[in-house]
Amino acid sequence: MEPLSIVVLLVMGTIAGAINAAVGSGSLLTLPVLMAIGIPPGVAVRTNTVGMFFSTLGSCVGYRREIVAEKQHMPRLLATATVGATVGAILLLVSPASALDVVVPVLIVLALLLVVFQKRITRALRTRKGRGGAPSADDAPSGAAPTESAGKPESAENAVSATGAIDASSERSPLQSKGLLGSLGAASVYGGYFTAAQGVLYLGILGVFTGRTMGSVNGIKNLMSLGVNLAAAVVYVVAFFLIDAEIVWIGSAAIAAGSLLGGFFGAHLAKRMPEWMLRGVIVVVALAALIRQFV
């Protein structure tokens, strides 16, 4: 690999790491560079996945406090991500590269719709489930009289942390729902297969099923992305030694160095972005990803 190509991958890896920390889809910057320097699509995906694992590592360090706040839910979420990603990575090894041309645009559009219409979809799901009970603080009219429990300490079941995380002891957390786990599992299969834009899918799914802001679920998204990239990378490295599935290691190293740095600083930037801006960035990145698929 030419020295100039390594430098370009290092720079693009840094930018991609920052984008991954905020919304995901950073691989849509690094993958085209790998293919532009003559690396076949399947090899490029494997090379990119091994390198971009370090971007999610940096992102998780930046979101460590938010992740700890969700620690009770993380084992099931990580298990879902790991199993799905392993299946997806194996599919990449055995499927034709042309399959990417069909799958990727469809899932990016789906993620975009989930993000744009998150609030409407969430309300519709809650209405369908027939959830009753007292209105939340967000739904209560201003000036409404306090309830009988006003002034009393919140129970652990209903407590919400300052970061928007549902208390770990809550038995009714939407993070435990089968619908959420199933949707995240399907997204993880895609993540292990292609990796790019998986973060947008995760944010859309988490936002719809939990009703929480994009910023408050970003830590969960980053840890799940770490699990996906690690599982997929392990599959590809094992395949490299067992069946000679090619990985361009110098390219992976360049992307890894840049994305680790970008992921760490991108996490701190994302936590300072207001909800409307974060949602806007997601839409722009998803649209750019779609355009790139067809150009």
Side-chain angles (χ1 to χ4, degrees):
M1 184 177 291
E2 295 293 327
L4 179 60
S5 298
I6 297 174
V7 172
V8 171
L9 284 174
L10 179 65
V11 173
M12 297 305 283
T14 304
I15 300 172
I19 293 175
N20 268 359
V23 298
S25 302
S27 289
L28 294 170
L29 294 178
T30 50
L31 270 174
V33 174
L34 288 168
M35 290 187 284
I37 60 179
I39 299 176
V43 179
V45 170
R46 294 192 290 273
T47 299
N48 182 72
T49 299
V50 172
M52 290 303 289
F53 159 72
F54 291 89
S55 82
T56 53
L57 187 61
S59 301
C60 286
V61 172
Y63 271 94
R64 59 191 178 277
R65 292 181 181 176
E66 291 78 4
I67 291 171
V68 169
E70 309 280 3
K71 61 183 178 181
Q72 180 168 328
H73 307 298
M74 287 309 183
R76 294 183 73 180
L77 294 174
L78 273 176
T80 300
T82 301
V83 172
T86 301
V87 172
I90 293 172
L91 283 175
L92 178 71
L93 292 173
V94 300
S95 64
S98 59
L100 293 172
D101 297 332
V102 178
V103 173
V104 174
V106 172
L107 289 176
I108 292 176
V109 169
L110 175 61
L112 183 59
L113 291 175
L114 288 175
V115 169
V116 172
F117 297 106
Q118 176 207 341
K119 294 182 179 179
R120 293 184 183 179
I121 297 172
T122 301
R123 282 197 297 266
L125 287 173
R126 288 177 176 173
T127 300
R128 186 174 180 180
K129 291 178 181 178
R131 293 184 179 176
S136 66
D138 291 336
D139 296 330
S142 58
T147 63
E148 186 179 6
S149 62
K152 296 180 181 179
E154 269 189 317
S155 67
E157 180 174 313
N158 296 321
V160 179
S161 73
T163 62
I166 298 173
D167 190 276
S169 61
S170 171
E171 295 178 358
R172 298 180 180 179
S173 170
L175 291 172
Q176 303 280 6
S177 73
K178 293 180 180 179
L180 173 68
L181 292 173
S183 300
L184 291 176
S188 298
V189 173
Y190 164 79
Y193 184 77
F194 186 57
T195 69
Q198 65 173 328
V200 176
L201 273 174
Y202 282 151
L203 284 176
I205 292 168
L206 287 165
V208 164
F209 278 91
T210 66
R212 289 161 56 179
T213 64
M214 299 288 104
S216 72
V217 296
N218 219 348
I220 301 173
K221 178 266 290 182
N222 283 326
L223 187 62
M224 290 197 67
S225 296
L226 173 67
V228 167
N229 284 2
L230 177 60
V234 168
V235 170
Y236 298 149
V237 171
V238 171
F240 171 80
F241 288 105
L242 294 183
I243 61 173
D244 295 325
E246 185 181 356
I247 296 173
V248 182
W249 291 105
I250 187 63
S252 292
I255 293 172
S259 66
L260 178 62
L261 184 65
F264 178 75
F265 287 106
H268 291 282
L269 176 63
K271 286 191 283 187
R272 289 167 173 76
M273 294 172 66
E275 172 71 7
W276 65 267
M277 184 180 294
L278 186 58
R279 195 179 295 272
V281 170
I282 294 170
V283 171
V284 170
V285 169
L287 289 175
L290 276 176
I291 292 171
R292 186 177 291 278
Q293 289 299 313
F294 294 108
V295 173

